[in-house]
mmCIF file of all heavy atoms in Angstrom:
data_model
loop_
_atom_site.group_PDB
_atom_site.id
_atom_site.type_symbol
_atom_site.label_atom_id
_atom_site.label_comp_id
_atom_site.label_asym_id
_atom_site.label_seq_id
_atom_site.Cartn_x
_atom_site.Cartn_y
_atom_site.Cartn_z
ATOM 1 N N ALA A 1 12.409 -33.671 26.041
ATOM 2 C CA ALA A 1 13.397 -33.274 25.049
ATOM 3 C C ALA A 1 14.600 -32.530 25.691
ATOM 4 O O ALA A 1 15.738 -32.759 25.351
ATOM 5 C CB ALA A 1 12.795 -32.386 23.948
ATOM 6 N N ALA A 2 14.333 -31.729 26.705
ATOM 7 C CA ALA A 2 15.310 -30.993 27.424
ATOM 8 C C ALA A 2 16.212 -31.950 28.170
ATOM 9 O O ALA A 2 17.458 -31.897 28.147
ATOM 10 C CB ALA A 2 14.716 -29.950 28.378
ATOM 11 N N ILE A 3 15.611 -32.965 28.831
ATOM 12 C CA ILE A 3 16.347 -33.965 29.562
ATOM 13 C C ILE A 3 17.235 -34.852 28.651
ATOM 14 O O ILE A 3 18.384 -35.094 28.890
ATOM 15 C CB ILE A 3 15.358 -34.826 30.384
ATOM 16 C CG1 ILE A 3 14.802 -33.967 31.559
ATOM 17 C CG2 ILE A 3 16.052 -36.077 30.965
ATOM 18 C CD1 ILE A 3 13.677 -34.675 32.297
ATOM 19 N N ALA A 4 16.613 -35.178 27.464
ATOM 20 C CA ALA A 4 17.476 -35.978 26.485
ATOM 21 C C ALA A 4 18.677 -35.163 26.064
ATOM 22 O O ALA A 4 19.776 -35.720 25.909
ATOM 23 C CB ALA A 4 16.576 -36.341 25.319
ATOM 24 N N LEU A 5 18.472 -33.869 25.820
ATOM 25 C CA LEU A 5 19.619 -33.040 25.373
ATOM 26 C C LEU A 5 20.666 -32.977 26.535
ATOM 27 O O LEU A 5 21.852 -33.034 26.274
ATOM 28 C CB LEU A 5 19.174 -31.663 24.974
ATOM 29 C CG LEU A 5 18.399 -31.563 23.658
ATOM 30 C CD1 LEU A 5 17.839 -30.186 23.477
ATOM 31 C CD2 LEU A 5 19.375 -31.930 22.524
ATOM 32 N N ALA A 6 20.192 -32.800 27.756
ATOM 33 C CA ALA A 6 21.133 -32.807 28.856
ATOM 34 C C ALA A 6 21.903 -34.065 28.992
ATOM 35 O O ALA A 6 23.104 -34.036 29.306
ATOM 36 C CB ALA A 6 20.355 -32.460 30.184
ATOM 37 N N GLN A 7 21.257 -35.219 28.702
ATOM 38 C CA GLN A 7 21.907 -36.443 28.769
ATOM 39 C C GLN A 7 23.065 -36.550 27.706
ATOM 40 O O GLN A 7 24.154 -37.019 27.940
ATOM 41 C CB GLN A 7 20.887 -37.627 28.678
ATOM 42 C CG GLN A 7 20.078 -37.786 29.888
ATOM 43 C CD GLN A 7 18.872 -38.755 29.640
ATOM 44 O OE1 GLN A 7 18.405 -38.935 28.550
ATOM 45 N NE2 GLN A 7 18.448 -39.339 30.769
ATOM 46 N N LYS A 8 22.662 -36.069 26.522
ATOM 47 C CA LYS A 8 23.640 -36.024 25.413
ATOM 48 C C LYS A 8 24.862 -35.168 25.822
ATOM 49 O O LYS A 8 26.014 -35.539 25.617
ATOM 50 C CB LYS A 8 23.069 -35.525 24.165
ATOM 51 C CG LYS A 8 22.086 -36.479 23.511
ATOM 52 C CD LYS A 8 21.460 -35.879 22.239
ATOM 53 C CE LYS A 8 20.402 -36.766 21.625
ATOM 54 N NZ LYS A 8 19.794 -36.137 20.460
ATOM 55 N N ARG A 9 24.502 -33.956 26.305
ATOM 56 C CA ARG A 9 25.583 -33.085 26.768
ATOM 57 C C ARG A 9 26.491 -33.693 27.857
ATOM 58 O O ARG A 9 27.673 -33.599 27.812
ATOM 59 C CB ARG A 9 25.050 -31.765 27.204
ATOM 60 C CG ARG A 9 26.049 -30.758 27.577
ATOM 61 C CD ARG A 9 25.441 -29.456 28.029
ATOM 62 N NE ARG A 9 26.497 -28.489 27.838
ATOM 63 C CZ ARG A 9 26.386 -27.300 27.278
ATOM 64 N NH1 ARG A 9 25.234 -26.926 26.832
ATOM 65 N NH2 ARG A 9 27.462 -26.530 27.184
ATOM 66 N N SER A 10 25.798 -34.369 28.769
ATOM 67 C CA SER A 10 26.523 -35.042 29.882
ATOM 68 C C SER A 10 27.408 -36.137 29.303
ATOM 69 O O SER A 10 28.468 -36.375 29.918
ATOM 70 C CB SER A 10 25.475 -35.595 30.830
ATOM 71 O OG SER A 10 26.151 -36.310 31.832
ATOM 72 N N ALA A 11 27.062 -36.774 28.213
ATOM 73 C CA ALA A 11 27.838 -37.833 27.595
ATOM 74 C C ALA A 11 28.981 -37.246 26.751
ATOM 75 O O ALA A 11 29.677 -38.003 26.087
ATOM 76 C CB ALA A 11 26.946 -38.713 26.815
ATOM 77 N N GLY A 12 29.081 -35.879 26.673
ATOM 78 C CA GLY A 12 30.168 -35.305 25.939
ATOM 79 C C GLY A 12 29.782 -34.813 24.568
ATOM 80 O O GLY A 12 30.638 -34.210 23.831
ATOM 81 N N GLN A 13 28.568 -34.930 24.170
ATOM 82 C CA GLN A 13 28.154 -34.400 22.833
ATOM 83 C C GLN A 13 27.935 -32.910 22.938
ATOM 84 O O GLN A 13 27.558 -32.344 23.914
ATOM 85 C CB GLN A 13 26.832 -35.032 22.356
ATOM 86 C CG GLN A 13 26.910 -36.489 22.042
ATOM 87 C CD GLN A 13 25.643 -37.049 21.551
ATOM 88 O OE1 GLN A 13 24.718 -36.300 21.136
ATOM 89 N NE2 GLN A 13 25.488 -38.352 21.546
ATOM 90 N N VAL A 14 28.315 -32.215 21.826
ATOM 91 C CA VAL A 14 28.090 -30.798 21.719
ATOM 92 C C VAL A 14 26.655 -30.508 21.307
ATOM 93 O O VAL A 14 26.159 -31.058 20.374
ATOM 94 C CB VAL A 14 29.108 -30.154 20.711
ATOM 95 C CG1 VAL A 14 28.832 -28.663 20.567
ATOM 96 C CG2 VAL A 14 30.527 -30.432 21.148
ATOM 97 N N ILE A 15 26.059 -29.663 22.058
ATOM 98 C CA ILE A 15 24.626 -29.291 21.841
ATOM 99 C C ILE A 15 24.534 -27.893 21.315
ATOM 100 O O ILE A 15 25.071 -26.963 21.997
ATOM 101 C CB ILE A 15 23.795 -29.488 23.099
ATOM 102 C CG1 ILE A 15 23.910 -30.839 23.696
ATOM 103 C CG2 ILE A 15 22.339 -29.092 22.898
ATOM 104 C CD1 ILE A 15 23.371 -31.971 22.795
ATOM 105 N N ASP A 16 23.879 -27.637 20.234
ATOM 106 C CA ASP A 16 23.639 -26.293 19.699
ATOM 107 C C ASP A 16 22.304 -25.819 20.208
ATOM 108 O O ASP A 16 21.277 -26.157 19.694
ATOM 109 C CB ASP A 16 23.630 -26.319 18.169
ATOM 110 C CG ASP A 16 23.499 -24.934 17.559
ATOM 111 O OD1 ASP A 16 23.182 -23.997 18.293
ATOM 112 O OD2 ASP A 16 23.642 -24.840 16.295
ATOM 113 N N ILE A 17 22.372 -25.080 21.319
ATOM 114 C CA ILE A 17 21.145 -24.608 21.960
ATOM 115 C C ILE A 17 20.288 -23.782 21.015
ATOM 116 O O ILE A 17 19.068 -23.963 21.012
ATOM 117 C CB ILE A 17 21.511 -23.735 23.248
ATOM 118 C CG1 ILE A 17 22.310 -24.563 24.280
ATOM 119 C CG2 ILE A 17 20.240 -23.231 23.876
ATOM 120 C CD1 ILE A 17 21.639 -25.799 24.800
ATOM 121 N N ALA A 18 20.860 -22.861 20.228
ATOM 122 C CA ALA A 18 20.058 -22.069 19.355
ATOM 123 C C ALA A 18 19.362 -22.941 18.321
ATOM 124 O O ALA A 18 18.180 -22.685 18.030
ATOM 125 C CB ALA A 18 20.991 -21.105 18.615
ATOM 126 N N HIS A 19 19.965 -23.962 17.831
ATOM 127 C CA HIS A 19 19.321 -24.882 16.872
ATOM 128 C C HIS A 19 18.194 -25.667 17.555
ATOM 129 O O HIS A 19 17.096 -25.765 16.996
ATOM 130 C CB HIS A 19 20.319 -25.845 16.233
ATOM 131 C CG HIS A 19 19.649 -26.986 15.510
ATOM 132 N ND1 HIS A 19 19.064 -26.753 14.263
ATOM 133 C CD2 HIS A 19 19.403 -28.252 15.882
ATOM 134 C CE1 HIS A 19 18.499 -27.895 13.869
ATOM 135 N NE2 HIS A 19 18.659 -28.800 14.831
ATOM 136 N N GLU A 20 18.476 -26.177 18.700
ATOM 137 C CA GLU A 20 17.461 -26.974 19.463
ATOM 138 C C GLU A 20 16.259 -26.196 19.769
ATOM 139 O O GLU A 20 15.127 -26.774 19.825
ATOM 140 C CB GLU A 20 18.078 -27.600 20.704
ATOM 141 C CG GLU A 20 19.172 -28.672 20.423
ATOM 142 C CD GLU A 20 18.647 -29.805 19.587
ATOM 143 O OE1 GLU A 20 17.490 -30.149 19.510
ATOM 144 O OE2 GLU A 20 19.561 -30.437 18.904
ATOM 145 N N PHE A 21 16.372 -24.934 20.048
ATOM 146 C CA PHE A 21 15.209 -24.084 20.368
ATOM 147 C C PHE A 21 14.671 -23.412 19.144
ATOM 148 O O PHE A 21 13.579 -22.754 19.173
ATOM 149 C CB PHE A 21 15.522 -23.054 21.448
ATOM 150 C CG PHE A 21 15.488 -23.597 22.856
ATOM 151 C CD1 PHE A 21 16.691 -24.125 23.413
ATOM 152 C CD2 PHE A 21 14.349 -23.622 23.543
ATOM 153 C CE1 PHE A 21 16.616 -24.622 24.706
ATOM 154 C CE2 PHE A 21 14.280 -24.128 24.825
ATOM 155 C CZ PHE A 21 15.433 -24.643 25.433
ATOM 156 N N GLY A 22 15.290 -23.624 17.997
ATOM 157 C CA GLY A 22 14.828 -23.005 16.719
ATOM 158 C C GLY A 22 13.660 -23.814 16.195
ATOM 159 O O GLY A 22 13.262 -24.917 16.738
ATOM 160 N N SER A 23 13.048 -23.377 15.078
ATOM 161 C CA SER A 23 11.911 -24.021 14.563
ATOM 162 C C SER A 23 12.104 -25.504 14.109
ATOM 163 O O SER A 23 11.157 -26.249 14.098
ATOM 164 C CB SER A 23 11.360 -23.188 13.387
ATOM 165 O OG SER A 23 12.302 -23.086 12.352
ATOM 166 N N ASN A 24 13.326 -25.887 13.738
ATOM 167 C CA ASN A 24 13.591 -27.246 13.345
ATOM 168 C C ASN A 24 14.191 -28.070 14.499
ATOM 169 O O ASN A 24 14.409 -29.267 14.309
ATOM 170 C CB ASN A 24 14.519 -27.270 12.163
ATOM 171 C CG ASN A 24 13.893 -26.666 10.916
ATOM 172 O OD1 ASN A 24 12.659 -26.873 10.755
ATOM 173 N ND2 ASN A 24 14.625 -26.003 10.077
ATOM 174 N N GLY A 25 14.485 -27.451 15.613
ATOM 175 C CA GLY A 25 14.993 -28.229 16.764
ATOM 176 C C GLY A 25 13.958 -28.950 17.554
ATOM 177 O O GLY A 25 12.790 -28.577 17.498
ATOM 178 N N GLU A 26 14.393 -29.946 18.250
ATOM 179 C CA GLU A 26 13.490 -30.768 19.040
ATOM 180 C C GLU A 26 12.689 -29.914 20.041
ATOM 181 O O GLU A 26 11.468 -30.037 20.210
ATOM 182 C CB GLU A 26 14.344 -31.829 19.813
ATOM 183 C CG GLU A 26 13.590 -33.119 19.895
ATOM 184 C CD GLU A 26 14.512 -34.184 20.508
ATOM 185 O OE1 GLU A 26 15.707 -34.289 20.098
ATOM 186 O OE2 GLU A 26 13.951 -34.879 21.336
ATOM 187 N N LEU A 27 13.368 -29.043 20.780
ATOM 188 C CA LEU A 27 12.713 -28.257 21.757
ATOM 189 C C LEU A 27 11.832 -27.089 21.095
ATOM 190 O O LEU A 27 10.782 -26.819 21.599
ATOM 191 C CB LEU A 27 13.759 -27.598 22.747
ATOM 192 C CG LEU A 27 14.166 -28.520 23.808
ATOM 193 C CD1 LEU A 27 15.434 -28.028 24.435
ATOM 194 C CD2 LEU A 27 13.108 -28.638 24.899
ATOM 195 N N GLY A 28 12.281 -26.620 20.003
ATOM 196 C CA GLY A 28 11.472 -25.618 19.276
ATOM 197 C C GLY A 28 10.233 -26.163 18.778
ATOM 198 O O GLY A 28 9.126 -25.599 18.870
ATOM 199 N N MET A 29 10.269 -27.411 18.277
ATOM 200 C CA MET A 29 9.076 -28.066 17.718
ATOM 201 C C MET A 29 8.124 -28.428 18.878
ATOM 202 O O MET A 29 6.863 -28.224 18.799
ATOM 203 C CB MET A 29 9.410 -29.297 16.920
ATOM 204 C CG MET A 29 10.028 -28.989 15.569
ATOM 205 S SD MET A 29 10.281 -30.406 14.496
ATOM 206 C CE MET A 29 11.610 -31.224 15.313
ATOM 207 N N ALA A 30 8.647 -28.888 20.014
ATOM 208 C CA ALA A 30 7.804 -29.217 21.152
ATOM 209 C C ALA A 30 7.146 -27.940 21.727
ATOM 210 O O ALA A 30 5.951 -27.967 22.100
ATOM 211 C CB ALA A 30 8.617 -29.952 22.228
ATOM 212 N N SER A 31 7.915 -26.878 21.751
ATOM 213 C CA SER A 31 7.335 -25.583 22.188
ATOM 214 C C SER A 31 6.286 -25.098 21.301
ATOM 215 O O SER A 31 5.253 -24.635 21.817
ATOM 216 C CB SER A 31 8.548 -24.565 22.278
ATOM 217 O OG SER A 31 8.001 -23.283 22.669
ATOM 218 N N SER A 32 6.453 -25.197 20.049
ATOM 219 C CA SER A 32 5.396 -24.762 19.062
ATOM 220 C C SER A 32 4.180 -25.614 19.264
ATOM 221 O O SER A 32 3.047 -25.048 19.208
ATOM 222 C CB SER A 32 5.917 -24.955 17.608
ATOM 223 O OG SER A 32 6.971 -24.059 17.341
ATOM 224 N N GLU A 33 4.322 -26.908 19.490
ATOM 225 C CA GLU A 33 3.114 -27.713 19.711
ATOM 226 C C GLU A 33 2.443 -27.334 20.942
ATOM 227 O O GLU A 33 1.145 -27.227 21.000
ATOM 228 C CB GLU A 33 3.630 -29.213 19.795
ATOM 229 C CG GLU A 33 2.488 -30.197 19.913
ATOM 230 C CD GLU A 33 1.536 -30.247 18.710
ATOM 231 O OE1 GLU A 33 2.036 -29.971 17.596
ATOM 232 O OE2 GLU A 33 0.364 -30.659 18.891
#
């Protein structure tokens, strides 16, 4: 999930780190699991 976000960011997409690590974000859910 972190690599996928980095790829998006590298492609110019804006990434909301707080959201991604939050309970509904991809990294947050993976971390909880």
Side-chain angles (χ1 to χ4, degrees):
I3 290 169
L5 288 173
Q7 289 170 333
K8 288 178 184 177
R9 183 179 199 133
S10 174
Q13 291 183 18
V14 175
I15 303 297
D16 181 351
I17 301 297
H19 169 75
E20 292 302 336
F21 279 92
S23 59
N24 292 326
E26 216 173 317
L27 280 161
M29 289 188 288
S31 175
S32 293
E33 184 66 26

